[in-house]
């Protein structure tokens, strides 16, 4: 069997789960006061890479662009993916990057990883800059096929192809699963509903082995970590950071919470009149539904 | 289809020892365990013995796992005191049986299986990995089939796979035995029901109250009126900072005179001798003023919960040399004084601000139950079927001789023998029952444990006779007159024992394992010779629903048990005998609600009984 090399691009994000988010008076995120963690979508991408490790013995590299503190996100991602290599792209020059400039940095980084990368995994999108563009743009820069909303995948190591299932939501109507096949290399944006399934004994055994190894590795994560500045990365300074960013965010508005449209009505179960009312409401709701 | 050399079904102590031994022999094996974590479904008393037989050899825990067991295994305490108490109301008469505990033993450690089996799993899987094997947990084996010379294992969770041989270590309620028809289900006369609660108590209090050093512990056994007229008795074993209190009764005698398992435990808890052993200082919350706004009530409840938790943590640390040192090292406290001051501060706040009072009571952490096979009556004579070897409780090899219960050590010995037999079979590529099965049987026949299961040992018997020499002869001779006369004289004893062995356990047991032995004689002894104990408090015993609520389950919507005959007399008794009240009687039909089931197996005799699917069901924290 030939080797598979996969990469995961992740992001350190404000921890929205803690409720410890803090905003500046102008409505932007107060990053200094908000706790940071590995973004939830990035965590799912790390799990998708771990699946490749368990199932195909893949070599896993994890990368992020950010301040030195982003090392924390790499450590968490290593615990989830049992990564063999951690990359941090950290330089003042990278600051102020939009998605396109970020994609340029990531591309340069992925090229520096050991072995030729066959699959890059990214999260669906980040929770603090909800654009979902970094993935496709990085894929485009790398010249990789982009597959979005992936919920399952299988690699044919000899033919160097991948079969993936994509979850497509036809807003409001239904969800469909599309099966696609593509030659490697590919860039995969993992769907938030992705859940790895291990259903053979050998997969469960490697799962247990790598899980244990990843605990040890992530405690010792610095050993696997390489930090790159712009020179070390060999990136074109005009294409990264603020100079490489055509987008300018000039204002972020907080959306005032709308009043809930739902209206609760208290009905008394012992009152026949109320029960009748409830039945007619249910009927009404049912008849309004279009069943396809 | 994937292929492995050996599959071990069940990750209790027996299965884990089999995995380790196969790895010791350089063989590939995988172990499948239904629980989501190894150890989460196992229950014991328990004292883990290491046997030092006069004749023959035993595979002890330290032989299979190596010296690392002594350095690293999470056993609780080395039991150095072993005392039997005869009870009658507030009277207790005690007999020191430490000699019986030490008989042919290298050691006996108190253990909690969640921790211990977790440790076994770590070491066994590490060794097994070297040969392409390991442990797969959260997987329930549902069937085994044969296709020519292929043996195929099917599970509820994974793709099928093929193996050369199987070790069935799936416990007393063995589905492997059931699905292959290797043996009939154990019947009530072959079983005991064990029920246990874990009680929290700080380490130093245990040391002082039981007069033992750190690391050492005591075992206390109970017979008499606490049995509520059943054959069997109670036990109390000290762990590092908990106590295991259990009741073990013969299933037949429970069917004859049904009593709820928790009533039997409660009877022990209420005994003044026991309640004094387990008492502790316990914070009691004050009623929260209902007139306060909802939010304030919640806030107070939250604050009190948090403070009580930290009080317990600090108090337990202050009363444990281990934990105290850890806290000092971690730099959380600079000195012991510092710790004590903090403790007083929290306590003051609790009493003054939140009106919490501190009372004498006890703290229960976990309720559990499981059937135990009585090997004298039910051991499989030929514990194999095709290329499957049965070990431990699955083979019915539990030892009940005197007050000692031995299942853990016996299972480990079986497992090592099964592993040795399979290793030879792999080398010769011969898995025929005439070779594999029979060589395992031969090895078992040489095991000193098999001797314990079939013969009376006169030297062991003498210990009990010596211990009872202070008991007035008339109490005993009115019941066991001739036996006593025969046994008391050294010269005749060996002839008598020989004669008894010819009669065999079958005929002797009903005489010795009787209500007389476990109930009447102890009551009489206690009444005539016992000292009076007065209790300083009466324990607040949780109801069964409170006990169930404290357990952790991974609920399965699907029931793993099917009632076959809802009008049978046996099933009607289950309404009382199920330890977690899963059965009820409606319109004269026995109805099951499987939520709350702790998989003890008590109802398995007349039900279609399976373990829950992988990861589902009970999840013991102590075990
Ligand atoms: C109250 C009480 C007190 C006891 N006191 C003592 C004592 O002091 N000393 C002593 O030595 N012994 C004692 N015993 C007995 C001892 O606990 C048992 O003999 C021992 O735990 C049995 O070990 P085992 O590995 O054979 O089975 P178990 O521990 O029952 O393990 C069987 C395992 O198989 C798994 N399993 C079952 N079916 C399947 C399936 N189809 N697929 C996958 N997995 C499956 C189960 O989840 C379980 O983990 C006591 C028992 C009780 C209940
Ligand atoms: S339902 Fe059966 S197996 Fe479950 S706890 Fe009750 S008696 Fe035990």
């Amino acid at each position: 069997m030939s080797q598979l090399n996969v990469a995961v691009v992740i992001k350190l994000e404000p921890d929205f789960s803690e409720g410890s988010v803090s905003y500046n008076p102008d409505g932007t995120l107060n990053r200094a006061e908000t706790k940071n963690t590995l973004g939830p979508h990035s965590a799912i991408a790390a799990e998708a890479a771990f699946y490749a490790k368990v199932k195909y013995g893949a070599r896993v590299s994890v990368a992020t662009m950010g301040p030195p503190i982003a090392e924390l996100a790499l450590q968490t991602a290593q615990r989830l993916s049992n990564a063999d290599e951690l990359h941090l792209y950290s330089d003042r020059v990278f600051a102020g990057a939009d998605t396109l400039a970020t994609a340029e940095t990531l591309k340069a980084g992925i090229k520096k990883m050991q072995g030729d990368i066959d699959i890059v995994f990214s999260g669906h999108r980040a929770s603090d800059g909800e654009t979902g563009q970094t993935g496709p743009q990085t894929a485009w820069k790398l010249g990789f096929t982009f597959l979005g909303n992936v919920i399952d995948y299988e690699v044919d190591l000899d033919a160097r192809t991948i079969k993936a299932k994509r979850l497509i939501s036809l807003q409001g109507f239904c969800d469909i699963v599309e099966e696609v096949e593509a030659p490697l290399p590919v860039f995969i944006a993992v769907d938030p509903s992705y859940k790895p399934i291990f259903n053979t004994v050998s997969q469960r055994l490697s799962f247990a082995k790598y899980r244990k190894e990843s605990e040890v590795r992530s405690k010792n994560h610095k050993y696997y970590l390489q930090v790159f500045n712009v020179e070390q990365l060999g990136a074109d300074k005009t294409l990264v950071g603020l100079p490489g960013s055509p987008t300018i965010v000039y204002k972020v508005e907080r959306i005032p919470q709308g009043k809930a449209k739902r209206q609760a009505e208290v009905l008394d179960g012992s009152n026949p009149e109320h029960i009748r009312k409830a039945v007619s409401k249910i009927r009404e709701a049912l008849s309004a539904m279009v069943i396809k | 289809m994937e292929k492995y050399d050996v599959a071990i079904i069940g990750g209790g102590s027996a299965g884990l020892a089999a995995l380790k031994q196969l790895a010791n022999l350089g063989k590939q094996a995988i172990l499948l365990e239904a629980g989501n974590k190894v150890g989460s479904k196992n229950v014991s008393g328990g004292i883990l013995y290491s046997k030092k037989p006069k004749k023959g050899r035993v595979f002890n825990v330290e032989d299979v796992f190596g010296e690392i067991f002594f350095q690293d295994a999470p056993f609780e305490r080395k039991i150095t005191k072993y005392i039997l108490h005869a009870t009658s109301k507030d009277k207790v008469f005690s007999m020191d049986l430490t000699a019986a505990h030490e008989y042919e033993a290298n050691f006996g450690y108190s253990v909690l299986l969640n921790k211990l089996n977790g440790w076994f799993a770590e070491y066994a899987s590490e060794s097994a990995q070297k040969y392409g094997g390991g442990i797969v947990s959260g997987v329930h084996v549902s069937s085994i089939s044969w296709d020519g010379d292929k043996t195929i294992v099917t599970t509820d969770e994974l793709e099928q796979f093929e193996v050369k041989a199987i070790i069935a270590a799936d416990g007393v309620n063995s589905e492997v035995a059931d699905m292959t028809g290797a043996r009939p289900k154990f019947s009530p006369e072959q079983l005991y029901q064990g029920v246990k609660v874990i009680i929290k108590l700080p380490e130093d209090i245990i040391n002082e109250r039981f007069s033992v050093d750190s690391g050492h512990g005591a075992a206390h056994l109970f017979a008499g009126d606490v049995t509520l007229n059943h054959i069997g008795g109670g036990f109390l074993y000290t762990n590092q900072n908990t106590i295991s209190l259990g009741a073990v009764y013969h299933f037949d005698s429970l069917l004859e005179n049904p009593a709820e398992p928790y009533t039997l435990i409660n009877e022990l808890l209420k005994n003044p001798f026991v309640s004094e052993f387990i008492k502790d200082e316990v914070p009691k919350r004050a009623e929260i003023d209902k007139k306060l706004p909802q939010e304030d009530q919640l806030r107070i409840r939250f604050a009190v919960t948090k403070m009580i938790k930290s009080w317990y943590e600090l108090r337990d640390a202050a009363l444990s040399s281990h934990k105290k040192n850890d806290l000092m090292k971690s730099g959380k406290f600079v000195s012991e004084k510092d710790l004590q001051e903090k403790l007083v501060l929290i306590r003051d706040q609790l009493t003054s601000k939140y009106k919490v009072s501190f009372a004498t009571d006890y703290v229960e952490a976990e309720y559990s139950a499981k059937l135990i096979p009585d090997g004298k009556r039910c051991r499989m004579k030929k514990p194999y079927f095709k290329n499957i070897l049965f070990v431990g409780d699955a083979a019915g090899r539990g030892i009940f001789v005197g007050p000692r219960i031995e299942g853990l050590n016996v299972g480990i010995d079986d497992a090592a023998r099964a592993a040795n037999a399979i290793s030879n079979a792999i080398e010769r590529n011969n898995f025929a029952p005439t070779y594999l099965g029979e060589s395992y049987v031969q090895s078992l026949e040489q095991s000193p444990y098999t001797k314990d299961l079939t013969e009376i040992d006169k030297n062991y018997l003498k210990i009990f006779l010596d211990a009872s020499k202070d008991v007035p002869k008339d109490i005993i001779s009115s019941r066991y007159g001739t036996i006593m006369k025969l046994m008391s004289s050294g010269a005749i004893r060996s002839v008598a024992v020989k004669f008894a062995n010819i009669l065999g356990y079958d005929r002797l047991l009903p005489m010795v394992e009787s209500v007389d032995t476990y109930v009447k004689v102890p009551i009489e002894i206690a009444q005539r010779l016992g000292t009076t104990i007065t209790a300083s408090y009466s324990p607040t015993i949780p109801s069964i629903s409170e006990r169930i609520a404290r357990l952790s389950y991974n609920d399965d919507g699907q029931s793993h048990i099917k009632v076959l005959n809802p009008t049978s007399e046996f099933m009607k008794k289950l309404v009382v005998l199920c330890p977690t009240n899963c059965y009820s009687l409606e319109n004269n039909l026995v109805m099951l609600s499987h939520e709350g089931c702790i998989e003890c197996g008590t109802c398995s005799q007349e039900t279609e009984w399976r373990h829950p699917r992988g990861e589902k069901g009970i999840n013991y924290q102590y075990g």
Side-chain angles (χ1 to χ4, degrees), chain B residues 480-499:
Chain B
Y480 318 98
T482 5
I483 308 184
M484 281 311 276
K485 247 186 238 138
L486 285 170
M487 300 289 173
S488 318
S489 132
I492 311 178
R493 188 164 57 241
S494 42
V495 181
V497 168
K498 268 198 195 118
F499 181 65

PDB file of all heavy atoms in Angstrom, chain B residues 480-499:
ATOM      1  N   TYR B 480     -24.683 -30.449  64.951  1.00  0.00           N
ATOM      2  CA  TYR B 480     -23.727 -31.211  64.134  1.00  0.00           C
ATOM      3  C   TYR B 480     -22.990 -32.225  65.007  1.00  0.00           C
ATOM      4  O   TYR B 480     -21.795 -32.436  64.838  1.00  0.00           O
ATOM      5  CB  TYR B 480     -22.683 -30.283  63.505  1.00  0.00           C
ATOM      6  CG  TYR B 480     -23.203 -28.996  62.945  1.00  0.00           C
ATOM      7  CD1 TYR B 480     -23.127 -27.817  63.685  1.00  0.00           C
ATOM      8  CD2 TYR B 480     -23.761 -28.961  61.672  1.00  0.00           C
ATOM      9  CE1 TYR B 480     -23.591 -26.624  63.162  1.00  0.00           C
ATOM     10  CE2 TYR B 480     -24.218 -27.765  61.152  1.00  0.00           C
ATOM     11  CZ  TYR B 480     -24.126 -26.598  61.900  1.00  0.00           C
ATOM     12  OH  TYR B 480     -24.563 -25.420  61.386  1.00  0.00           O
ATOM     13  N   GLY B 481     -23.724 -32.802  65.993  1.00  0.00           N
ATOM     14  CA  GLY B 481     -23.096 -33.669  66.989  1.00  0.00           C
ATOM     15  C   GLY B 481     -22.062 -34.628  66.449  1.00  0.00           C
ATOM     16  O   GLY B 481     -20.868 -34.516  66.753  1.00  0.00           O
ATOM     17  N   THR B 482     -22.522 -35.534  65.610  1.00  0.00           N
ATOM     18  CA  THR B 482     -21.605 -36.579  65.143  1.00  0.00           C
ATOM     19  C   THR B 482     -20.461 -35.999  64.336  1.00  0.00           C
ATOM     20  O   THR B 482     -19.300 -36.383  64.518  1.00  0.00           O
ATOM     21  CB  THR B 482     -22.352 -37.600  64.260  1.00  0.00           C
ATOM     22  OG1 THR B 482     -23.681 -37.159  64.076  1.00  0.00           O
ATOM     23  CG2 THR B 482     -22.303 -38.980  64.840  1.00  0.00           C
ATOM     24  N   ILE B 483     -20.798 -35.044  63.463  1.00  0.00           N
ATOM     25  CA  ILE B 483     -19.733 -34.469  62.637  1.00  0.00           C
ATOM     26  C   ILE B 483     -18.664 -33.878  63.538  1.00  0.00           C
ATOM     27  O   ILE B 483     -17.466 -34.125  63.357  1.00  0.00           O
ATOM     28  CB  ILE B 483     -20.268 -33.333  61.725  1.00  0.00           C
ATOM     29  CG1 ILE B 483     -21.477 -33.800  60.940  1.00  0.00           C
ATOM     30  CG2 ILE B 483     -19.165 -32.821  60.808  1.00  0.00           C
ATOM     31  CD1 ILE B 483     -21.991 -32.767  59.957  1.00  0.00           C
ATOM     32  N   MET B 484     -19.123 -33.108  64.566  1.00  0.00           N
ATOM     33  CA  MET B 484     -18.163 -32.429  65.435  1.00  0.00           C
ATOM     34  C   MET B 484     -17.278 -33.424  66.147  1.00  0.00           C
ATOM     35  O   MET B 484     -16.066 -33.240  66.258  1.00  0.00           O
ATOM     36  CB  MET B 484     -18.898 -31.563  66.467  1.00  0.00           C
ATOM     37  CG  MET B 484     -19.385 -30.251  65.931  1.00  0.00           C
ATOM     38  SD  MET B 484     -18.129 -29.346  65.032  1.00  0.00           S
ATOM     39  CE  MET B 484     -17.278 -28.530  66.376  1.00  0.00           C
ATOM     40  N   LYS B 485     -17.900 -34.476  66.641  1.00  0.00           N
ATOM     41  CA  LYS B 485     -17.122 -35.467  67.381  1.00  0.00           C
ATOM     42  C   LYS B 485     -16.028 -36.051  66.481  1.00  0.00           C
ATOM     43  O   LYS B 485     -14.874 -36.164  66.860  1.00  0.00           O
ATOM     44  CB  LYS B 485     -18.058 -36.556  67.908  1.00  0.00           C
ATOM     45  CG  LYS B 485     -18.139 -36.513  69.442  1.00  0.00           C
ATOM     46  CD  LYS B 485     -18.950 -37.670  69.985  1.00  0.00           C
ATOM     47  CE  LYS B 485     -20.115 -37.141  70.808  1.00  0.00           C
ATOM     48  NZ  LYS B 485     -21.355 -37.842  70.575  1.00  0.00           N
ATOM     49  N   LEU B 486     -16.439 -36.362  65.279  1.00  0.00           N
ATOM     50  CA  LEU B 486     -15.492 -36.954  64.339  1.00  0.00           C
ATOM     51  C   LEU B 486     -14.358 -35.995  63.997  1.00  0.00           C
ATOM     52  O   LEU B 486     -13.200 -36.378  63.907  1.00  0.00           O
ATOM     53  CB  LEU B 486     -16.209 -37.355  63.046  1.00  0.00           C
ATOM     54  CG  LEU B 486     -17.084 -38.607  63.120  1.00  0.00           C
ATOM     55  CD1 LEU B 486     -17.917 -38.727  61.844  1.00  0.00           C
ATOM     56  CD2 LEU B 486     -16.227 -39.849  63.308  1.00  0.00           C
ATOM     57  N   MET B 487     -14.764 -34.728  63.800  1.00  0.00           N
ATOM     58  CA  MET B 487     -13.782 -33.763  63.291  1.00  0.00           C
ATOM     59  C   MET B 487     -12.845 -33.240  64.376  1.00  0.00           C
ATOM     60  O   MET B 487     -11.766 -32.757  64.080  1.00  0.00           O
ATOM     61  CB  MET B 487     -14.494 -32.574  62.632  1.00  0.00           C
ATOM     62  CG  MET B 487     -15.365 -32.955  61.463  1.00  0.00           C
ATOM     63  SD  MET B 487     -14.376 -33.456  60.056  1.00  0.00           S
ATOM     64  CE  MET B 487     -15.625 -34.042  58.935  1.00  0.00           C
ATOM     65  N   SER B 488     -13.289 -33.282  65.647  1.00  0.00           N
ATOM     66  CA  SER B 488     -12.503 -32.598  66.668  1.00  0.00           C
ATOM     67  C   SER B 488     -11.220 -33.329  67.033  1.00  0.00           C
ATOM     68  O   SER B 488     -10.269 -32.705  67.477  1.00  0.00           O
ATOM     69  CB  SER B 488     -13.315 -32.385  67.942  1.00  0.00           C
ATOM     70  OG  SER B 488     -14.592 -31.978  67.601  1.00  0.00           O
ATOM     71  N   SER B 489     -11.211 -34.595  66.863  1.00  0.00           N
ATOM     72  CA  SER B 489      -9.973 -35.283  67.225  1.00  0.00           C
ATOM     73  C   SER B 489      -9.077 -35.434  66.000  1.00  0.00           C
ATOM     74  O   SER B 489      -9.528 -35.886  64.943  1.00  0.00           O
ATOM     75  CB  SER B 489     -10.308 -36.655  67.826  1.00  0.00           C
ATOM     76  OG  SER B 489      -9.506 -37.650  67.233  1.00  0.00           O
ATOM     77  N   GLY B 490      -7.850 -35.027  66.198  1.00  0.00           N
ATOM     78  CA  GLY B 490      -6.895 -35.005  65.081  1.00  0.00           C
ATOM     79  C   GLY B 490      -6.801 -36.339  64.351  1.00  0.00           C
ATOM     80  O   GLY B 490      -6.815 -36.394  63.129  1.00  0.00           O
ATOM     81  N   ALA B 491      -6.741 -37.397  65.134  1.00  0.00           N
ATOM     82  CA  ALA B 491      -6.534 -38.706  64.525  1.00  0.00           C
ATOM     83  C   ALA B 491      -7.735 -39.122  63.674  1.00  0.00           C
ATOM     84  O   ALA B 491      -7.574 -39.603  62.548  1.00  0.00           O
ATOM     85  CB  ALA B 491      -6.295 -39.747  65.616  1.00  0.00           C
ATOM     86  N   ILE B 492      -8.913 -38.933  64.243  1.00  0.00           N
ATOM     87  CA  ILE B 492     -10.096 -39.394  63.509  1.00  0.00           C
ATOM     88  C   ILE B 492     -10.412 -38.455  62.347  1.00  0.00           C
ATOM     89  O   ILE B 492     -11.005 -38.851  61.366  1.00  0.00           O
ATOM     90  CB  ILE B 492     -11.320 -39.497  64.461  1.00  0.00           C
ATOM     91  CG1 ILE B 492     -10.925 -40.275  65.711  1.00  0.00           C
ATOM     92  CG2 ILE B 492     -12.489 -40.197  63.762  1.00  0.00           C
ATOM     93  CD1 ILE B 492     -12.012 -40.404  66.727  1.00  0.00           C
ATOM     94  N   ARG B 493      -9.974 -37.179  62.523  1.00  0.00           N
ATOM     95  CA  ARG B 493     -10.375 -36.187  61.535  1.00  0.00           C
ATOM     96  C   ARG B 493     -10.004 -36.576  60.111  1.00  0.00           C
ATOM     97  O   ARG B 493     -10.821 -36.495  59.204  1.00  0.00           O
ATOM     98  CB  ARG B 493      -9.822 -34.808  61.866  1.00  0.00           C
ATOM     99  CG  ARG B 493     -10.392 -33.738  60.942  1.00  0.00           C
ATOM    100  CD  ARG B 493     -10.201 -32.327  61.436  1.00  0.00           C
ATOM    101  NE  ARG B 493      -8.804 -32.036  61.648  1.00  0.00           N
ATOM    102  CZ  ARG B 493      -8.311 -31.712  62.829  1.00  0.00           C
ATOM    103  NH1 ARG B 493      -9.078 -31.654  63.895  1.00  0.00           N
ATOM    104  NH2 ARG B 493      -7.035 -31.467  62.949  1.00  0.00           N
ATOM    105  N   SER B 494      -8.768 -37.063  59.959  1.00  0.00           N
ATOM    106  CA  SER B 494      -8.403 -37.351  58.570  1.00  0.00           C
ATOM    107  C   SER B 494      -9.212 -38.513  58.005  1.00  0.00           C
ATOM    108  O   SER B 494      -9.559 -38.504  56.825  1.00  0.00           O
ATOM    109  CB  SER B 494      -6.907 -37.570  58.396  1.00  0.00           C
ATOM    110  OG  SER B 494      -6.416 -38.332  59.424  1.00  0.00           O
ATOM    111  N   VAL B 495      -9.568 -39.454  58.867  1.00  0.00           N
ATOM    112  CA  VAL B 495     -10.422 -40.550  58.399  1.00  0.00           C
ATOM    113  C   VAL B 495     -11.801 -39.994  58.059  1.00  0.00           C
ATOM    114  O   VAL B 495     -12.377 -40.290  56.998  1.00  0.00           O
ATOM    115  CB  VAL B 495     -10.556 -41.648  59.489  1.00  0.00           C
ATOM    116  CG1 VAL B 495     -11.432 -42.782  58.981  1.00  0.00           C
ATOM    117  CG2 VAL B 495      -9.185 -42.153  59.892  1.00  0.00           C
ATOM    118  N   ALA B 496     -12.292 -39.112  58.948  1.00  0.00           N
ATOM    119  CA  ALA B 496     -13.631 -38.549  58.747  1.00  0.00           C
ATOM    120  C   ALA B 496     -13.685 -37.729  57.468  1.00  0.00           C
ATOM    121  O   ALA B 496     -14.649 -37.806  56.695  1.00  0.00           O
ATOM    122  CB  ALA B 496     -14.020 -37.692  59.946  1.00  0.00           C
ATOM    123  N   VAL B 497     -12.627 -36.941  57.250  1.00  0.00           N
ATOM    124  CA  VAL B 497     -12.600 -36.107  56.046  1.00  0.00           C
ATOM    125  C   VAL B 497     -12.573 -36.994  54.808  1.00  0.00           C
ATOM    126  O   VAL B 497     -13.276 -36.744  53.828  1.00  0.00           O
ATOM    127  CB  VAL B 497     -11.397 -35.134  56.061  1.00  0.00           C
ATOM    128  CG1 VAL B 497     -11.192 -34.497  54.708  1.00  0.00           C
ATOM    129  CG2 VAL B 497     -11.608 -34.061  57.108  1.00  0.00           C
ATOM    130  N   LYS B 498     -11.794 -38.059  54.898  1.00  0.00           N
ATOM    131  CA  LYS B 498     -11.746 -38.977  53.764  1.00  0.00           C
ATOM    132  C   LYS B 498     -13.126 -39.540  53.470  1.00  0.00           C
ATOM    133  O   LYS B 498     -13.576 -39.601  52.330  1.00  0.00           O
ATOM    134  CB  LYS B 498     -10.758 -40.128  54.046  1.00  0.00           C
ATOM    135  CG  LYS B 498      -9.370 -39.820  53.552  1.00  0.00           C
ATOM    136  CD  LYS B 498      -8.505 -41.069  53.430  1.00  0.00           C
ATOM    137  CE  LYS B 498      -7.057 -40.640  53.300  1.00  0.00           C
ATOM    138  NZ  LYS B 498      -6.208 -41.113  54.402  1.00  0.00           N
ATOM    139  N   PHE B 499     -13.770 -39.924  54.547  1.00  0.00           N
ATOM    140  CA  PHE B 499     -15.113 -40.491  54.415  1.00  0.00           C
ATOM    141  C   PHE B 499     -16.065 -39.442  53.815  1.00  0.00           C
ATOM    142  O   PHE B 499     -16.833 -39.716  52.891  1.00  0.00           O
ATOM    143  CB  PHE B 499     -15.607 -40.961  55.784  1.00  0.00           C
ATOM    144  CG  PHE B 499     -16.968 -41.573  55.736  1.00  0.00           C
ATOM    145  CD1 PHE B 499     -17.178 -42.759  55.032  1.00  0.00           C
ATOM    146  CD2 PHE B 499     -18.056 -40.956  56.368  1.00  0.00           C
ATOM    147  CE1 PHE B 499     -18.448 -43.329  54.981  1.00  0.00           C
ATOM    148  CE2 PHE B 499     -19.319 -41.518  56.300  1.00  0.00           C
ATOM    149  CZ  PHE B 499     -19.518 -42.702  55.609  1.00  0.00           C
TER     150      PHE B 499
END
